[in-house]
Amino acid sequence: VAAIVQTSGAKSTSQEFTGSRQRLLRAVNNFMGQKERSATLERIDEYYRTLGTGVTGRPRDPNDAYRAYRARTTYSVLQSLANYMGGMRGRRKAVVLFSEGVDYDVYDTFANSYATDVLQYSQDAIAAATRANVVFYAIDPRGLAGFEDAAEIGSLPNDPSLNLGVGSLQRELQIQQDSLRMLAGETGGFAALNSNDFSKSFARIIQDNSSYYVLGYYSDDSKRDGRFRNLTVKVKQPGLEVRA
């Protein structure tokens, strides 16, 4: 669920803010319960389904293809949103993303068939955001995240090499949160994770987008070879932090 925050400088009335908050809550509630079941739990079920059939190796997630499809769709929507907001010139734009993160493991390209594909989609979304001067702020609505999926584990496989248990659930949580950190960090925002106090995060987002500089740069190099130039932004006043 993405909520657009435009830093146009216009003042909003209390009634407008209340209405926006109510619409946002309804949007978040509409997506409740649509998350895919844990890949670890799916693999455990697959292990017991194939037990005694001669199938060897680590059980595969039967929902792997659909999980990858959902991941690609998420990044595609963010890319399209960034492209649309690119038409708003001369200002910094912010997108507040309420999400538990993408639950597809892009780090293990051997065990996950679509890892490279999903990673490319994420990079395309980030590239579109940087071109359009769009910043992603990620809010994990779970707050202090636990392992609620662990309650569904009836019994664990006897083979510890399969890594199917609480440790695997912990890795899933890390992968989901890493996807939010990547989206936010690569575009100049931040991810609010493992916290039940969202007011501080919202206040920080408002502060970030209430005062900023939009800098332009024109290269004096006459060669138009398509290569990027490395730029460094510095400030003279001590104690200031540059995020660009």
Side-chain angles (χ1 to χ4, degrees):
V1 182
I4 302 176
V5 179
Q6 299 179 13
T7 57
S8 60
K11 295 182 178 179
S12 299
T13 64
S14 176
Q15 185 176 4
E16 289 173 341
F17 178 79
T18 301
S20 298
R21 182 175 181 273
Q22 291 174 346
R23 288 192 296 272
L24 176 59
L25 290 175
R26 285 198 298 268
V28 173
N29 288 336
N30 286 339
F31 283 84
M32 290 289 290
Q34 294 190 21
K35 180 185 175 183
E36 284 297 293
R37 188 168 180 257
S38 163
T40 296
L41 297 179
E42 293 289 356
R43 288 191 171 102
I44 291 176
D45 290 349
E46 187 71 10
Y47 168 81
Y48 286 111
R49 277 195 296 266
T50 59
L51 190 64
T53 62
V55 177
T56 59
R58 188 171 187 233
R60 300 189 66 83
D61 175 14
N63 292 331
D64 181 70
Y66 185 66
R67 202 179 303 276
Y69 165 76
R70 292 285 295 266
R72 290 194 299 263
T73 300
T74 298
Y75 289 126
S76 293
V77 169
L78 293 176
Q79 180 181 358
S80 298
L81 180 60
N83 289 333
Y84 170 78
M85 297 179 71
M88 306 172 190
R89 301 294 181 182
R91 70 177 65 166
R92 186 178 193 257
K93 285 85 64 174
V95 172
V96 183
L97 174 68
F98 293 86
S99 172
E100 295 183 14
V102 173
D103 62 352
Y104 197 89
D105 186 356
V106 297
Y107 304 107
D108 190 349
T109 57
F110 294 101
N112 301 284
S113 306
Y114 304 94
T116 302
D117 195 26
V118 172
L119 184 59
Q120 183 61 55
Y121 272 74
S122 70
Q123 293 172 345
D124 291 343
I126 291 172
T130 55
R131 285 194 302 268
N133 200 17
V134 170
V135 181
F136 288 132
Y137 295 95
I139 307 292
D140 188 343
R142 289 174 293 190
L144 289 172
F147 300 111
E148 59 273 9
D149 291 328
E152 292 191 45
I153 300 179
S155 60
L156 297 175
N158 294 326
D159 187 353
S161 66
L162 299 178
N163 190 25
L164 293 176
V166 177
S168 182
L169 291 175
Q170 186 175 8
R171 175 172 169 78
E172 281 188 31
L173 176 62
Q174 180 181 350
I175 289 171
Q176 294 163 16
Q177 293 185 337
D178 281 349
S179 69
L180 297 177
R181 291 189 184 98
M182 178 182 66
L183 275 172
E186 292 292 328
T187 58
F190 64 86
L193 311 171
N194 298 320
S195 174
N196 291 331
D197 186 1
F198 297 112
S199 59
K200 291 182 179 179
S201 300
F202 294 143
R204 184 179 169 190
I205 292 172
I206 293 174
Q207 183 180 18
D208 268 9
N209 292 277
S210 297
S211 179
Y212 60 89
Y213 288 95
V214 178
L215 304 180
Y217 169 77
Y218 295 91
S219 173
D220 57 3
D221 193 334
S222 59
K223 294 186 296 183
R224 295 294 182 261
D225 52 8
R227 299 176 61 186
F228 288 96
R229 269 66 178 179
N230 292 322
L231 304 180
T232 301
V233 181
K234 297 181 180 180
V235 291
K236 295 182 179 180
Q237 185 175 339
L240 298 181
E241 176 191 2
V242 175
R243 286 190 289 126

